Amino acid sequence: MAISWLLLILLALAVIGYFTGRSRALSSAGGNVRELHSLPSYYGYNVALTALVPALGLLMIWLLVQPMIVNSTVSGLIPDQALPEGADRGLAMSEVRRVSDGLDGAVAAGAISQAQASNADADIEELTQTLKDAGQVLTQDITQPILVAAQKYRSMTTTGSVAMQVVVLSLALLGAAFAYIRTHKEFRARNVVEQGVLALLLLAASIAILTTVGIVLSMVFETMNFFQLHSWKDFFFGGTWAPNFRGGSELSILPLLWGTLYISLIALLVAVPIGLFAAIYLSEYASGATRSVAKPLLEILAGIPTIVYGLFALLTVGPALVSMFGDGGMLGVGWMASSNAVLTAGLVMGIMLIPFVSSLSDDIINAVPQSMRDGSLGLGATHSETVRSVILPAALPGIVGAILLAASRAIGETMIVVMAAGAIAKFSGNPFEAMTTITTRIVSQLTGDTDFASPETLVAFALGLTLFIITLGLNIFALYIVRKYREQYE
């Protein structure tokens, strides 16, 4: 709530700064706009941006740094003997934050006073029961070290929040005052504003790049920690996936990679023919009116959240397949025992990929020069022969690139396989059996309060990095093919 109000105040200061800066510029020119170096609006933008941008930058940095400082300080207050057996400080800090949130919630609800929440000598059992009665979530009874740490956490967080508001507002006011004072008719406001906007655009581009670099580096470092605890030979060349947090885990990626590629293959077998045929029809045979209606309807599939596809697979497609291929089903073959199967996930993922393949293929087919069509028709070929013998061969490299991009999308899909593929890691060629994928195991290994010092948790980063490298390679190869194809006609 404090941040919301702070943002509203900063926005109000920027608006006020705009009008005051504009007014001061006009006043310095005696109301004659022609005597100003820049348009009056630029003087207002200069004051508004000078007040707003540095304050927002400081706010973002503060919000990133403060939790790290608070966690580092509070974590040092917890003695080693207070940690549960087999747990690390990360789990203890999770409990500290829960207790801190519980104290805040109880104070807000009036169950306890601010003084009681800050009393380090409070009766632990009574406080625990009070928080539970107030509806606060606690995973275990509060201990004295955890209570002291939670109270320190609350105190530092509150103090930091107040200091943040004061410092950010002060910086905004100083920026506005500085820009206002140097506003006069000779001031090159347009140049300053344009340079500032250019710097913001560069910063936005840098943030996107640096975020990607940060994600990759975080996975690389955690993967290195994993390989210090677990053999890389077992990870890359083992044949069993059997995590055990008590020790003795077998963590091979190969069964997961097989399930991932198998489901992706089925998805592509569904998506590629349907998507490609739809693209051929829309680009070569459909009338303008039909295309204007059919193409948006087809691309609606791309806007459906993947969780909805997962529910569709779990509640509709899976039971329908069981009723056909299961015991007592329409065919009576007894091949499918559960709705969670490779075929279920593959079919639904293929439906999800149809607009992806169709849209890219449609753009690529339309990029084939009209002169090639006219030349084929002029030589006596029919429309269908032109499509088959001229247009598709010419567009084939781009279509292959589109298929590779779809394959990359399928390999990285999570929600559909989590809900429809199952959780069994094994090598099997039976599409009616349940299997698991890399993304499913990443979700599983990072769910709940996990120990980030154990290989069973760190393996998720190794899986993620491997998946990232696979999809990145596919994307680069696909973009290379598409670019090479486009250069052929440009």
Side-chain angles (χ1 to χ4, degrees):
M1 182 64 71
I3 295 178
S4 301
W5 280 109
L6 183 59
L7 291 174
L8 288 175
I9 293 173
L10 290 177
L11 183 60
L13 282 175
V15 173
I16 295 171
Y18 170 81
F19 287 107
T20 55
R22 190 174 184 276
S23 175
R24 180 176 174 84
L26 289 172
S27 298
S28 66
N32 188 358
V33 177
R34 295 185 177 182
E35 293 188 11
L36 294 175
H37 172 273
S38 309
L39 292 174
S41 58
Y42 281 106
Y43 295 91
Y45 291 142
N46 177 58
V47 177
L49 291 176
T50 307
L52 187 63
V53 174
L56 287 178
L58 178 61
L59 177 61
M60 289 188 290
I61 295 173
W62 197 297
L63 291 175
L64 290 173
V65 173
Q66 178 177 306
M68 293 188 289
I69 296 176
V70 173
N71 287 337
S72 176
T73 303
V74 174
S75 178
L77 298 177
I78 305 175
D80 293 337
Q81 57 270 24
L83 299 176
E85 185 178 355
D88 64 355
R89 292 190 178 274
L91 293 176
M93 283 304 299
S94 297
E95 188 62 26
V96 167
R97 285 188 287 270
R98 270 191 289 270
V99 174
S100 175
D101 292 340
L103 292 172
D104 289 337
V107 170
I112 59 176
S113 65
Q114 192 67 249
Q116 290 174 310
S118 304
N119 183 12
D121 298 323
D123 185 277
I124 301 297
E125 294 183 0
E126 180 182 349
L127 182 60
T128 300
Q129 190 59 47
T130 301
L131 293 181
K132 290 181 178 180
D133 293 341
Q136 303 305 313
V137 178
L138 300 176
T139 58
Q140 61 188 33
D141 291 339
I142 303 174
T143 61
Q144 186 66 32
I146 294 296
L147 175 60
V148 173
Q151 291 171 337
K152 182 66 174 177
Y153 185 91
R154 290 184 71 235
S155 174
M156 291 188 67
T157 301
T158 302
T159 303
S161 178
V162 173
M164 175 187 69
Q165 296 175 53
V166 172
V167 173
V168 168
L169 287 177
S170 299
L171 181 61
L173 290 172
L174 288 174
F178 172 74
Y180 180 81
I181 290 173
R182 67 173 187 164
T183 297
H184 54 84
K185 64 180 181 180
E186 300 297 334
F187 180 65
R188 299 177 178 270
R190 178 177 59 83
N191 297 353
V192 174
V193 170
E194 289 180 350
Q195 291 174 359
V197 172
L198 180 62
L200 289 177
L201 295 175
L202 179 62
L203 177 63
S206 302
I207 289 175
I209 296 172
L210 293 176
T211 300
T212 303
V213 173
I215 292 172
V216 174
L217 290 179
S218 66
M219 289 194 296
V220 169
F221 292 142
E222 295 297 342
T223 300
M224 292 171 60
N225 293 335
F226 166 71
F227 286 127
Q228 292 176 357
L229 301 173
H230 191 83
S231 170
W232 65 271
K233 295 180 180 179
D234 176 63
F235 180 76
F236 288 111
F237 303 109
T240 305
W241 172 267
N244 185 358
F245 283 90
R246 297 179 181 177
S249 297
E250 295 181 85
L251 303 172
S252 172
I253 192 177
L254 293 183
L256 309 181
L257 184 60
W258 168 252
T260 300
L261 296 178
Y262 195 6
I263 293 173
S264 300
L265 176 62
I266 294 177
L268 291 176
L269 290 176
V270 173
V272 171
I274 298 176
L276 183 56
F277 292 159
I280 293 173
Y281 172 75
L282 291 175
S283 61
E284 297 298 324
Y285 295 99
S287 64
T290 302
R291 177 183 172 86
S292 65
V293 175
K295 188 173 176 65
L297 289 177
L298 183 63
E299 293 183 347
I300 286 176
L301 291 174
I304 298 176
T306 55
I307 184 66
V308 176
Y309 282 110
L311 292 173
F312 176 62
L314 183 67
L315 302 178
T316 304
V317 177
L321 292 176
V322 172
S323 67
M324 182 175 296
F325 298 105
D327 292 329
M330 294 173 58
L331 301 180
V333 291
W335 292 344
M336 195 168 180
S338 170
S339 61
N340 289 332
V342 171
L343 187 60
T344 304
L347 287 175
V348 177
M349 192 186 298
I351 294 172
M352 181 194 70
L353 292 177
I354 288 173
F356 196 85
V357 175
S358 174
S359 180
L360 289 175
S361 299
D362 182 40
D363 294 339
I364 290 164
I365 292 173
N366 283 325
V368 175
Q370 183 62 34
S371 59
M372 296 183 67
R373 296 175 172 84
D374 296 338
S376 176
L377 295 173
L379 291 173
T382 65
H383 192 179
S384 297
E385 289 172 340
T386 300
V387 171
R388 184 177 64 252
S389 302
V390 176
I391 296 175
L392 288 183
L396 185 60
I399 293 174
V400 171
I403 294 173
L404 291 176
L405 289 174
S408 175
R409 177 70 178 84
I411 290 173
E413 174 55 35
T414 302
M415 288 310 304
I416 292 175
V417 293
V418 166
M419 302 182 69
I424 302 174
K426 62 180 179 180
F427 294 99
S428 174
N430 187 356
F432 299 101
E433 293 183 353
M435 291 187 195
T436 192
T437 65
I438 294 176
T439 53
T440 302
R441 290 300 93 196
I442 291 175
V443 173
S444 176
Q445 298 307 114
L446 295 178
T447 300
D449 288 335
T450 52
D451 182 5
F452 280 86
S454 68
E456 291 77 18
T457 299
L458 293 175
V459 69
F461 296 96
L463 293 173
L465 182 61
T466 305
L467 188 67
F468 172 78
I469 292 173
I470 293 173
T471 55
L472 179 64
L474 283 173
N475 287 340
I476 291 174
F477 185 52
L479 292 174
Y480 167 76
I481 292 176
V482 173
R483 187 175 293 114
K484 184 177 180 180
Y485 160 75
R486 285 177 178 170
E487 289 175 353
Q488 184 176 353
Y489 298 116
E490 290 179 355

